[in-house]
Every structure is written in C-alpha cells, then in structure tokens.
Amino acid sequence: MSSPISFKKFELPPLPYKVDGLEPYISKDIVDVHYNGHHKGYVNGANQFMERFTKVIKGELQSGQYDVQGLMRGIVFNVNGHKLHALYWDNMAPAGKGGGQPGGALADLIVEQYGSYDRFKQVFIETANSLPGTGWTVLYYDTENGNLEIMTFENHFMNHIAELPILLILDEFEHAYYLQYKNKRADYVNNWWNVVNWDYAEKKLQKFLK
C-alpha cells in the first residue's frame, strides 16, 4: 500500500513589530497592505499551487488538464515571494533598534571588501536604484569564499544565486513604497537604511562563519 501523499502548508509568520513600528520611514498603511495583503497573498498562492501539484502527483489530474511549466512557475513565484518577504520583515527594526551602522564581523568584512561602510552603502544604493521594474536588492554572504556580494534579482527569482544566505534584503516592488513615496523609489531606498536591522544581519552571518 502506498503512503498518503501530502505537503505541509506554508504559514504567514507574525510581524516582528507592530504595523506602525517602522514609521515614519515606512508608514503603517504600507506595512498593513504589504503584510496582510501581498505577503499573505503569496502564502495563499503557494498553498493553492501545492494543492494542485498534489493532485497531479495523485493522478487526479490527467495529462492535458494542467500545464506543468505554469504550475512550477506558480510554485516558485509564490513560495519565493513568501520566503523573501519573511526575510524582509526580519531584516528591519523600529527606529532606535534599526538603522545606524553594522558592528562585529559584518562591519569588519564590509571594511575589508568595500573599503568603508560609506562606500558599501553607496554601492548598495546605486545597485538598488539600477533595478529595472520590480524585484529585490540583496546582500549575500558567499559561503565558498567569504565574499559579501550585492545582487539585484528581478521579480522573485531571476538572477538569484543558489544556496547563498541573504544578510540584507530590500523589497523594490511598488507595493513596498508607492502609498508613501509615490514614484520616488530612490527616497524609499535612502530612508530604508533608518530601519535596517544590523543585529539580525550579524547574527545570521555568524551562523556561517568558519
């Protein structure tokens, strides 16, 4: 007898602060819509696509009743959308706890590889502002060689480097800033630094240092 086929559902994680916790840099209205609307939508979408995938595995949908390529893209888009947003929320903290400059090993690596924190920040901002359309700007820690690598990836998956942990992540979809900043994405990018959770980034880095 074959085992029952099932996948565990994805769940929306709680915000690590109140919806108004990032004000004035990211408004309560944006966090509310972004978290309860968009992020929750990716969680629901991921579960719906996985339910359909389960039906394919069970043979409840026959060939011609589904588009496997579209199914896979739907899973990747929604699962990555969910996971990237979870990282994004954790990567920020209310003013006072967030912002400022990094310390510890992360600060040392930034100075070693970028010359100074100010130069690192300048390059990160320039990279973020170069992103065409919508997507993310991230700081990876490369576990192979210890490099801190700044990367943009479009949508939820294009240009993503496999298996590299993300230390910093900036959401550049319009829903992350438009209610407050309108078409001035650069202002949002500049103000985001006031809520960066450097303690979170340092703790994550420490997991991978040899």
Side-chain angles (χ1 to χ4, degrees):
M1 180 180 293
S2 61
S3 300
I5 298 170
S6 66
F7 292 96
K8 292 182 179 179
K9 289 186 176 295
F10 295 98
E11 296 182 356
L12 183 68
L15 275 175
Y17 32 76
K18 295 180 180 180
V19 291
D20 62 352
L22 302 179
E23 288 190 335
Y25 306 107
I26 301 178
S27 72
K28 174 183 177 181
D29 289 342
I30 285 180
V31 173
D32 185 21
V33 172
H34 197 172
Y35 173 74
N36 290 308
H38 293 276
H39 189 175
K40 186 176 182 180
Y42 294 127
V43 172
N44 292 339
N47 287 327
Q48 289 167 4
F49 274 101
M50 289 304 297
E51 286 175 7
R52 189 164 179 81
F53 185 44
T54 301
K55 291 181 179 180
V56 172
I57 295 171
K58 291 180 176 179
E60 295 175 4
L61 295 177
Q62 303 302 315
S63 178
Q65 292 183 306
Y66 61 90
D67 170 14
V68 69
Q69 184 181 45
L71 182 58
M72 294 300 107
R73 287 183 64 85
I75 291 172
V76 170
F77 179 82
N78 285 280
V79 171
N80 241 15
H82 159 49
K83 292 184 179 296
L84 291 169
H85 278 88
L87 289 172
Y88 175 67
W89 302 125
D90 285 341
N91 207 176
M92 296 184 291
K97 182 180 179 182
Q101 296 189 17
L106 180 55
D108 293 340
L109 280 176
I110 286 174
V111 172
E112 176 186 333
Q113 297 178 15
Y114 289 85
S116 68
Y117 169 73
D118 288 340
R119 183 54 181 153
F120 161 78
K121 181 177 177 180
Q122 184 180 28
V123 172
F124 192 101
I125 289 173
E126 184 177 350
T127 303
N129 289 336
S130 75
L131 178 68
T134 56
W136 305 78
T137 301
V138 302
L139 177 68
Y140 290 113
Y141 176 70
D142 197 321
T143 53
E144 177 181 343
N145 51 28
N147 288 342
L148 296 176
E149 300 167 6
I150 298 172
M151 176 64 67
T152 60
F153 48 98
E154 298 170 38
N155 222 314
H156 290 328
F157 43 80
M158 293 176 66
N159 304 339
H160 178 54
I161 301 175
E163 294 194 354
L164 297 194
I166 294 173
L167 303 182
L168 291 180
I169 181 167
L170 172 62
D171 188 347
E172 294 189 72
F173 280 73
E174 284 190 347
H175 61 239
Y177 63 87
Y178 201 84
L179 282 176
Q180 183 173 2
Y181 293 95
K182 303 299 187 256
N183 63 340
K184 296 179 179 179
R185 187 177 72 174
D187 290 349
Y188 158 70
V189 171
N190 288 332
N191 280 331
W192 171 76
W193 294 92
N194 292 292
V195 293
V196 169
N197 189 343
W198 290 111
D199 288 342
Y200 170 84
E202 173 70 18
K203 288 176 182 177
K204 189 161 187 181
L205 173 64
Q206 289 293 336
K207 295 178 181 178
F208 301 96
L209 291 178
K210 297 178 180 178

